[in-house]
Short mmCIF file of all heavy atoms in Angstrom, two decimals:
data_model
loop_
_atom_site.label_atom_id
_atom_site.label_comp_id
_atom_site.label_asym_id
_atom_site.label_seq_id
_atom_site.Cartn_x
_atom_site.Cartn_y
_atom_site.Cartn_z
N SER A 1435 109.36 86.65 77.01
CA SER A 1435 110.49 86.59 76.13
C SER A 1435 111.21 85.29 76.23
O SER A 1435 112.22 85.02 75.47
CB SER A 1435 111.63 87.74 76.64
OG SER A 1435 112.08 87.25 78.04
N GLY A 1436 110.62 84.39 77.10
CA GLY A 1436 111.10 83.21 77.20
C GLY A 1436 112.41 82.99 77.96
O GLY A 1436 113.10 82.00 77.99
N GLY A 1437 112.63 83.98 78.64
CA GLY A 1437 113.98 84.14 79.49
C GLY A 1437 113.78 83.73 80.91
O GLY A 1437 112.66 83.14 81.27
N ARG A 1438 114.77 83.89 81.76
CA ARG A 1438 114.65 83.62 83.12
C ARG A 1438 115.46 84.78 83.80
O ARG A 1438 116.25 85.41 83.16
CB ARG A 1438 115.26 82.28 83.39
CG ARG A 1438 116.71 82.02 83.07
CD ARG A 1438 117.37 80.83 83.54
NE ARG A 1438 116.75 79.69 83.12
CZ ARG A 1438 117.04 78.99 82.05
NH1 ARG A 1438 118.03 79.33 81.32
NH2 ARG A 1438 116.31 77.78 81.57
N GLY A 1439 115.10 84.92 85.01
CA GLY A 1439 115.76 85.98 85.84
C GLY A 1439 114.88 86.39 87.05
O GLY A 1439 113.91 85.80 87.39
N VAL A 1440 115.50 87.39 87.84
CA VAL A 1440 114.96 87.66 89.09
C VAL A 1440 114.47 89.13 88.95
O VAL A 1440 115.25 90.12 88.55
CB VAL A 1440 115.93 87.52 90.26
CG1 VAL A 1440 115.37 88.04 91.51
CG2 VAL A 1440 116.25 86.00 90.39
N VAL A 1441 113.30 89.57 89.50
CA VAL A 1441 112.73 90.84 89.59
C VAL A 1441 113.05 91.29 91.01
O VAL A 1441 112.68 90.53 91.99
CB VAL A 1441 111.32 91.03 89.31
CG1 VAL A 1441 110.81 92.39 89.56
CG2 VAL A 1441 111.18 90.60 87.78
N VAL A 1442 113.69 92.42 91.28
CA VAL A 1442 113.87 92.89 92.63
C VAL A 1442 113.09 94.16 92.68
O VAL A 1442 113.08 95.04 91.94
CB VAL A 1442 115.34 93.32 92.87
CG1 VAL A 1442 115.62 93.94 94.28
CG2 VAL A 1442 116.21 92.06 92.71
N VAL A 1443 112.27 94.18 93.93
CA VAL A 1443 111.62 95.32 94.22
C VAL A 1443 112.13 95.85 95.53
O VAL A 1443 112.33 95.07 96.51
CB VAL A 1443 110.01 95.11 94.38
CG1 VAL A 1443 109.71 93.99 95.34
CG2 VAL A 1443 109.30 96.23 94.79
N GLU A 1444 112.55 97.10 95.60
CA GLU A 1444 113.14 97.74 96.73
C GLU A 1444 112.33 98.87 97.25
O GLU A 1444 111.85 99.65 96.53
CB GLU A 1444 114.56 97.98 96.42
CG GLU A 1444 114.79 99.16 95.38
CD GLU A 1444 115.00 100.54 96.06
OE1 GLU A 1444 114.83 100.71 97.17
OE2 GLU A 1444 115.33 101.44 95.27
N GLY A 1445 112.45 99.02 98.60
CA GLY A 1445 111.76 100.14 99.23
C GLY A 1445 111.85 100.07 100.73
O GLY A 1445 111.96 99.10 101.37
N LEU A 1446 111.71 101.26 101.23
CA LEU A 1446 111.88 101.56 102.70
C LEU A 1446 110.75 101.01 103.45
O LEU A 1446 110.83 100.49 104.52
CB LEU A 1446 111.92 103.08 102.85
CG LEU A 1446 111.62 103.66 104.17
CD1 LEU A 1446 112.70 103.27 105.30
CD2 LEU A 1446 111.38 105.17 104.17
N LEU A 1447 109.59 100.93 102.77
CA LEU A 1447 108.26 100.63 103.49
C LEU A 1447 107.73 99.32 103.12
O LEU A 1447 106.50 99.00 103.39
CB LEU A 1447 107.34 101.67 103.21
CG LEU A 1447 107.74 103.03 103.67
CD1 LEU A 1447 106.94 104.25 103.00
CD2 LEU A 1447 107.69 103.29 105.18
N LEU A 1448 108.55 98.45 102.54
CA LEU A 1448 107.87 97.09 102.12
C LEU A 1448 107.27 96.17 103.12
O LEU A 1448 106.43 95.38 102.90
CB LEU A 1448 109.06 96.26 101.32
CG LEU A 1448 109.22 96.69 99.85
CD1 LEU A 1448 110.39 95.78 99.37
CD2 LEU A 1448 108.02 96.48 99.07
N LEU A 1449 107.76 96.46 104.30
CA LEU A 1449 107.24 95.60 105.54
C LEU A 1449 106.03 96.22 106.17
O LEU A 1449 105.49 95.59 106.99
CB LEU A 1449 108.32 95.48 106.52
CG LEU A 1449 109.68 94.77 106.06
CD1 LEU A 1449 110.58 94.51 107.38
CD2 LEU A 1449 109.50 93.48 105.47
N GLY A 1450 105.71 97.41 105.71
CA GLY A 1450 104.56 98.17 106.40
C GLY A 1450 103.14 97.59 105.99
O GLY A 1450 103.00 96.80 105.07
N VAL A 1451 102.22 97.93 106.91
CA VAL A 1451 100.78 97.51 106.66
C VAL A 1451 100.36 98.26 105.41
O VAL A 1451 100.57 99.50 105.30
CB VAL A 1451 99.90 98.02 107.92
CG1 VAL A 1451 98.61 97.75 107.53
CG2 VAL A 1451 100.38 97.13 109.12
N GLY A 1452 99.82 97.53 104.50
CA GLY A 1452 99.33 98.19 103.19
C GLY A 1452 100.21 97.74 102.05
O GLY A 1452 99.72 97.87 100.87
N ALA A 1453 101.51 97.20 102.38
CA ALA A 1453 102.34 96.84 101.28
C ALA A 1453 102.16 95.30 100.92
O ALA A 1453 102.97 94.86 100.17
CB ALA A 1453 103.66 97.19 101.71
N GLU A 1454 101.12 94.72 101.42
CA GLU A 1454 101.02 93.31 101.23
C GLU A 1454 100.88 92.81 99.76
O GLU A 1454 101.46 91.84 99.38
CB GLU A 1454 99.77 92.83 101.97
CG GLU A 1454 99.76 92.77 103.46
CD GLU A 1454 99.49 94.23 103.89
OE1 GLU A 1454 99.19 95.00 103.24
OE2 GLU A 1454 99.43 94.35 105.29
N ARG A 1455 100.27 93.67 99.02
CA ARG A 1455 100.17 93.37 97.52
C ARG A 1455 101.46 93.17 96.86
O ARG A 1455 101.67 92.35 95.92
CB ARG A 1455 99.28 94.34 96.71
CG ARG A 1455 97.90 94.38 97.23
CD ARG A 1455 97.00 95.27 96.26
NE ARG A 1455 96.92 94.82 94.88
CZ ARG A 1455 96.25 95.47 93.87
NH1 ARG A 1455 95.55 96.45 94.25
NH2 ARG A 1455 96.38 95.07 92.73
N VAL A 1456 102.42 93.97 97.22
CA VAL A 1456 103.67 93.75 96.68
C VAL A 1456 104.54 92.78 97.46
O VAL A 1456 105.18 91.94 96.77
CB VAL A 1456 104.59 95.26 96.81
CG1 VAL A 1456 106.03 94.97 96.25
CG2 VAL A 1456 103.89 96.24 95.88
N ARG A 1457 104.40 92.77 98.73
CA ARG A 1457 105.31 91.78 99.48
C ARG A 1457 104.84 90.41 99.15
O ARG A 1457 105.70 89.47 99.15
CB ARG A 1457 105.01 92.10 101.08
CG ARG A 1457 105.99 91.50 101.90
CD ARG A 1457 105.96 92.30 103.43
NE ARG A 1457 104.65 92.01 103.98
CZ ARG A 1457 103.82 92.96 104.31
NH1 ARG A 1457 104.28 94.25 104.06
NH2 ARG A 1457 102.74 92.83 104.91
N ASP A 1458 103.50 90.06 98.88
CA ASP A 1458 103.05 88.76 98.64
C ASP A 1458 103.63 88.30 97.26
O ASP A 1458 103.54 87.13 97.03
CB ASP A 1458 101.49 88.63 98.72
CG ASP A 1458 100.98 88.79 100.00
OD1 ASP A 1458 101.84 88.74 100.98
OD2 ASP A 1458 99.79 88.98 100.14
N ARG A 1459 104.15 89.16 96.49
CA ARG A 1459 104.65 88.85 95.14
C ARG A 1459 106.20 88.43 95.27
O ARG A 1459 106.75 87.97 94.26
CB ARG A 1459 104.54 89.96 94.10
CG ARG A 1459 103.01 89.94 93.62
CD ARG A 1459 102.81 91.40 92.96
NE ARG A 1459 101.46 91.38 92.26
CZ ARG A 1459 100.27 91.37 92.78
NH1 ARG A 1459 100.20 91.44 94.15
NH2 ARG A 1459 99.28 91.49 92.09
#
Side-chain angles (χ1 to χ4, degrees):
S1435 68
R1438 57 172 63 94
V1440 175
V1441 175
V1442 176
V1443 56
E1444 63 96 350
L1446 161 71
L1447 299 163
L1448 279 178
L1449 302 184
V1451 174
E1454 292 83 1
R1455 289 186 62 176
V1456 173
R1457 199 164 59 241
D1458 289 348
R1459 285 162 168 75

